[in-house]
Amino acid sequence: MCSSKMNNSLVVASSGQTTLSTILFVIVSFIILLLALKKFAWGPVVNMMQERQDKIANDIDNAEKSRNEASSLLQQREDELRKARTEAQKIIAQAKETADNSAHAILIEADKHSKQMKKQAEDDINNERNRMLEDAKNEIADLSIEIASKILKKELSPATHQELIQSSIEKLGVADDE
């Protein structure tokens, strides 16, 4: 029986060494596997993840930058539109003012022209009246001279005198009708 006890302790002792050596072998294999993974797999995976993170961050930054630029452009366009409206209102106001000034100047010029025409017409009427009065005076003087010469040629009685006056008046009336 002793030998069977001994055999058991040998099996237990050899199985303890085998278990320890197996554990040690597994640990060393695991460490080698970890080192191989770190060198060949972990670095590229980490690099790939870092690149992806950087790309996403850049995309987010670019999107934010684009949004800010769009917002800035929108604000700029609104400012330009406001300026354009203001300028259009100024141009319209200036055009209206120019039109008002032109209309006023035209009215003043028309009034001035009508006054000149009225004055010219009055001057023409006065000149024509003066000319007619001068013609009438000349005609009366001619008639007076004619009458006086006829009177001097004849000795006049009151009836002849009246007859000469009447005949001169009739001639005057005939001359006016012609």
Side-chain angles (χ1 to χ4, degrees):
M1 267 236 208
C2 214
S3 95
S4 84
K5 239 182 178 192
M6 195 138 337
N7 274 343
N8 274 346
S9 43
L10 276 178
V11 172
V12 173
S14 75
S15 82
Q17 272 185 346
T18 304
T19 307
L20 186 59
S21 66
T22 304
I23 290 175
L24 194 58
F25 175 75
V26 169
I27 289 176
V28 169
S29 295
F30 185 72
I31 290 174
I32 291 173
L33 180 63
L34 281 179
L35 289 175
L37 280 176
K38 181 179 178 191
K39 181 171 182 154
F40 296 111
W42 189 254
V45 169
V46 168
N47 287 339
M48 184 180 69
M49 294 299 275
Q50 185 64 41
E51 287 173 4
R52 183 172 171 94
Q53 182 181 358
D54 291 345
K55 183 183 180 304
I56 290 171
N58 284 337
D59 289 347
I60 290 172
D61 289 343
N62 288 338
E64 184 67 25
K65 185 178 176 183
S66 294
R67 188 184 66 77
N68 288 338
E69 286 176 5
S71 176
S72 175
L73 285 174
L74 177 64
Q75 185 64 36
Q76 184 179 4
R77 295 294 185 258
E78 287 175 355
D79 290 344
E80 288 174 359
L81 183 61
R82 245 188 317 270
K83 286 178 186 176
R85 284 182 182 153
T86 303
E87 285 183 37
Q89 288 173 348
K90 285 180 184 177
I91 290 170
I92 289 169
Q94 287 175 346
K96 184 178 179 184
E97 184 179 342
T98 302
D100 289 345
N101 290 341
S102 295
H104 185 67
I106 289 170
L107 288 175
I108 289 173
E109 186 64 30
D111 187 46
K112 182 180 174 183
H113 185 67
S114 69
K115 285 180 181 177
Q116 284 177 339
M117 288 178 63
K118 183 179 176 184
K119 183 173 180 350
Q120 183 66 37
E122 288 174 354
D123 289 346
D124 289 347
I125 290 170
N126 285 335
N127 289 339
E128 187 64 26
R129 187 182 63 174
N130 289 339
R131 189 186 60 79
M132 289 177 74
L133 285 175
E134 192 63 38
D135 286 347
K137 283 181 190 178
N138 288 338
E139 208 172 307
I140 289 173
D142 288 344
L143 284 176
S144 296
I145 292 171
E146 192 179 320
I147 290 172
S149 70
K150 285 183 183 181
I151 291 175
L152 290 177
K153 286 184 184 173
K154 295 188 190 179
E155 209 167 290
L156 293 178
S157 64
T160 308
H161 184 64
Q162 187 64 31
E163 188 178 304
L164 274 173
I165 293 173
Q166 190 63 34
S167 116
S168 295
I169 291 173
E170 285 176 7
K171 282 184 183 178
L172 191 62
V174 169
D176 283 343
D177 290 342
E178 293 176 1

